[in-house]
Amino acid sequence: MAQLTREADTGQGITDMKVLHRSNEKTIIRFDIGDKFPEALAEWCEKEKVESAAIVAGIGMLENIEIGRYNGREYEKQIVKPSSEILSLQGNVSMKEGKPFVHLHVSLADEEMYVMGGHLFSGTVSITIELVMLELPAKFVRIPEGGAFWRLDTPQE
Amino acid sequence: MAQLTREADTGQGITDMKVLHRSNEKTIIRFDIGDKFPEALAEWCEKEKVESAAIVAGIGMLENIEIGRYNGREYEKQIVKPSSEILSLQGNVSMKEGKPFVHLHVSLADEEMYVMGGHLFSGTVSITIELVMLELPAKFVRIPEGGAFWRLDTPQE
Amino acid sequence: MAQLTREADTGQGITDMKVLHRSNEKTIIRFDIGDKFPEALAEWCEKEKVESAAIVAGIGMLENIEIGRYNGREYEKQIVKPSSEILSLQGNVSMKEGKPFVHLHVSLADEEMYVMGGHLFSGTVSITIELVMLELPAKFVRIPEGGAFWRLDTPQE
């Protein structure tokens, strides 16, 4: 992958991501090799003041991935080190403690092409991610519910 | 999960679900612990006269899940009892025998975070589901085709 | 599946697919038994001059499926022969060497309902596919990056 180029698209140095399309509530973002994900997405949402969105697709590859499974009190976590195909990303963006929070579940193919997955905590883009987001004129917030669970909600009037 | 609260958002007692956003053909619904799924979604579609929709994302957790695999004549079914992370939901809403019918395929992570899935018949929400639906000005119907297969179609003129 | 009917919906003989809805950037297409997939989708995009789209959902069944995993230089490929439930499809359409190119990742349930998947090269529809696409007023192109990787991008000004 020696020829892979990196361009500072944002002009802020936080990530090499590039917004490929953004109109009519639909946003397509490409993340590039080395980007932290979904951290880079959360940073972009903060910069762009995106507070409420649905994430409806995302394919590419990640490595050094931390995924989790909620056991009713907390997340049991697991590390997937090898570069793995992302088969699906689904989730949303909401405001949690004053900042955009990215909630994503991921499906990943291992080297035999069998699939693992869970709540996505973090990973490093190992080739690309092609993400599809619906930016919504909504007000999504996270409300603590006990344990590690924060309910997706709208603000109390 | 003792602190989980239940609110009768619909005022009709069928479910604790809450519509978090609904505009410009995009609807975000949260289902809550104890809701039957996708039964609660079908009931909501009937109440709201939603006849045609695409379901493009849904994450959360289900338990006591019945999934199936079509063998060309009928569905071979399997029960997944433990509370499982929903990694993806995709499908649609159409009219079948006069009522809204929810067709969904689901991916579920087991306790080792390996993934099972199939056609989703039923389950009980064990923490939350955050669903993304596109309500379409379309006319989707289901036409029987033999076996257990009903083709997604538009009405004959 | 003897009763399954085939109709030449496109009038061009390339496929039995049927466009069930197409408005406001949202397109729902049904593919039918025997259709090559995603080849039939790429042909339809070429005929309809669809150059940029996000594919956000697709469920149904495929057989004789070729999937791949990118190892940093090339795709390692695997054939899945049995008819398998498609649990998710995500990806996009862009222009590559002058033609619409369909980039899709797929999750498939095997006969025990465990899930495999990867980059979707080809398959044959074994019952139906119900696809959800967002047709975007964008300009997506593929730029060669070395190895088998073509970066999703927008044209250089």
Side-chain angles (χ1 to χ4, degrees):
Chain A
M1 291 188 285
Q3 295 101 316
L4 287 173
T5 55
R6 299 176 62 116
E7 299 157 56
D9 294 302
T10 64
Q12 298 213 350
I14 50 171
T15 166
D16 293 338
M17 58 182 281
K18 181 170 178 177
V19 177
L20 300 177
H21 176 73
R22 192 178 186 190
S23 80
N24 196 16
E25 300 186 3
K26 299 176 197 80
T27 302
I28 313 297
I29 306 177
R30 188 194 73 217
F31 295 86
D32 291 336
I33 191 165
D35 285 343
K36 300 298 173 192
F37 188 86
E39 187 184 340
L41 175 59
E43 289 175 356
W44 181 82
C45 287
E46 189 172 8
K47 186 165 69 77
E48 295 291 325
K49 305 197 190 324
V50 174
E51 302 194 352
S52 301
I55 296 162
V56 295
I59 62 173
M61 294 190 90
L62 275 180
E63 62 190 359
N64 296 320
I65 311 149
E66 188 174 46
I67 55 176
R69 177 184 169 281
Y70 193 63
N71 67 11
R73 295 176 310 283
E74 59 186 3
Y75 282 97
E76 296 162 5
K77 296 183 179 180
Q78 193 167 331
I79 304 287
V80 179
K81 284 196 75 68
S83 180
S84 303
E85 298 271 349
I86 301 170
L87 303 186
S88 68
L89 284 171
Q90 294 190 353
N92 48 66
V93 177
S94 58
M95 292 301 283
K96 180 180 175 184
E97 301 183 306
K99 284 196 168 190
F101 170 73
V102 177
H103 183 208
L104 276 176
H105 285 196
V106 66
S107 295
L108 299 163
D110 70 12
E111 284 162 349
E112 272 74 44
M113 300 191 196
Y114 271 91
V115 180
M116 300 190 68
H119 178 104
L120 177 62
F121 283 97
S122 62
T124 303
V125 177
S126 52
I127 178 99
T128 194
I129 291 179
E130 301 164 0
L131 193 85
V132 183
M133 188 162 70
L134 307 176
E135 293 189 38
L136 301 173
K139 284 277 177 199
F140 295 159
V141 294
R142 291 276 164 186
I143 309 290
E145 276 283 3
F149 175 55
W150 291 63
R151 188 182 63 220
L152 182 64
D153 212 333
T154 51
Q156 302 301 316
E157 304 299 303
Chain B
M1 290 187 285
Q3 297 101 316
L4 287 172
T5 56
R6 300 175 62 116
E7 300 157 56
D9 294 301
T10 65
Q12 297 212 350
I14 50 172
T15 166
D16 294 338
M17 57 184 280
K18 181 171 179 178
V19 178
L20 299 177
H21 176 74
R22 192 178 186 191
S23 80
N24 196 16
E25 301 187 3
K26 300 174 197 81
T27 302
I28 313 297
I29 305 177
R30 188 194 73 216
F31 295 86
D32 291 335
I33 191 165
D35 286 343
K36 299 298 174 191
F37 189 86
E39 187 184 339
L41 175 58
E43 288 175 357
W44 181 82
C45 288
E46 190 172 7
K47 185 164 71 74
E48 295 289 326
K49 306 198 189 325
V50 174
E51 302 193 352
S52 301
I55 297 162
V56 295
I59 62 173
M61 294 191 90
L62 275 179
E63 62 190 358
N64 296 318
I65 310 150
E66 188 174 47
I67 55 176
R69 178 185 168 281
Y70 193 63
N71 67 11
R73 295 176 310 283
E74 59 185 3
Y75 281 97
E76 296 162 3
K77 295 183 179 180
Q78 192 166 332
I79 303 287
V80 179
K81 284 196 76 68
S83 180
S84 303
E85 298 272 348
I86 301 170
L87 303 186
S88 67
L89 283 171
Q90 294 190 352
N92 48 66
V93 177
S94 58
M95 292 300 284
K96 180 180 175 183
E97 301 183 305
K99 284 196 167 190
F101 170 73
V102 177
H103 184 208
L104 277 176
H105 285 197
V106 66
S107 295
L108 299 163
D110 71 12
E111 285 163 348
E112 272 75 46
M113 300 191 195
Y114 271 91
V115 180
M116 302 189 66
H119 177 104
L120 178 62
F121 284 97
S122 62
T124 302
V125 177
S126 52
I127 177 101
T128 193
I129 292 179
E130 301 165 358
L131 194 84
V132 183
M133 188 161 70
L134 307 176
E135 293 190 39
L136 302 173
K139 284 277 178 199
F140 294 159
V141 294
R142 289 277 164 186
I143 309 291
E145 275 283 4
F149 175 54
W150 291 64
R151 188 183 62 219
L152 182 65
D153 213 333
T154 51
Q156 303 301 315
E157 306 298 303
Chain C
M1 291 187 284
Q3 295 101 318
L4 286 173
T5 55
R6 298 175 63 115
E7 299 156 56
D9 294 301
T10 64
Q12 297 211 351
I14 49 171
T15 166
D16 294 339
M17 58 182 280
K18 181 170 177 177
V19 178
L20 300 177
H21 176 74
R22 192 178 187 191
S23 81
N24 196 15
E25 301 187 3
K26 299 176 197 80
T27 301
I28 314 297
I29 305 178
R30 188 194 72 217
F31 295 86
D32 292 335
I33 191 165
D35 286 343
K36 300 296 174 195
F37 188 86
E39 186 184 340
L41 175 59
E43 289 176 356
W44 181 82
C45 288
E46 188 171 9
K47 186 165 72 74
E48 296 290 326
K49 305 197 189 325
V50 174
E51 301 194 351
S52 301
I55 297 162
V56 294
I59 63 173
M61 294 190 90
L62 274 179
E63 62 189 359
N64 296 319
I65 310 150
E66 189 173 47
I67 55 176
R69 179 184 168 281
Y70 193 64
N71 67 11
R73 294 176 311 283
E74 59 186 3
Y75 282 98
E76 296 163 4
K77 295 184 180 180
Q78 192 166 333
I79 303 287
V80 179
K81 284 196 76 67
S83 180
S84 303
E85 298 272 349
I86 302 170
L87 302 186
S88 67
L89 284 171
Q90 294 189 353
N92 49 66
V93 177
S94 58
M95 293 300 284
K96 180 180 174 184
E97 301 183 305
K99 285 195 167 191
F101 171 72
V102 177
H103 184 208
L104 275 176
H105 285 196
V106 66
S107 295
L108 300 162
D110 70 12
E111 286 162 347
E112 273 75 46
M113 301 191 195
Y114 270 91
V115 180
M116 300 189 67
H119 177 105
L120 178 62
F121 284 97
S122 62
T124 303
V125 177
S126 52
I127 177 99
T128 194
I129 292 178
E130 300 164 0
L131 193 84
V132 183
M133 188 161 69
L134 306 176
E135 292 189 38
L136 302 173
K139 285 277 178 199
F140 294 159
V141 294
R142 290 277 165 187
I143 308 291
E145 276 283 4
F149 174 55
W150 290 63
R151 187 183 63 220
L152 183 65
D153 213 333
T154 50
Q156 303 301 316
E157 305 299 302

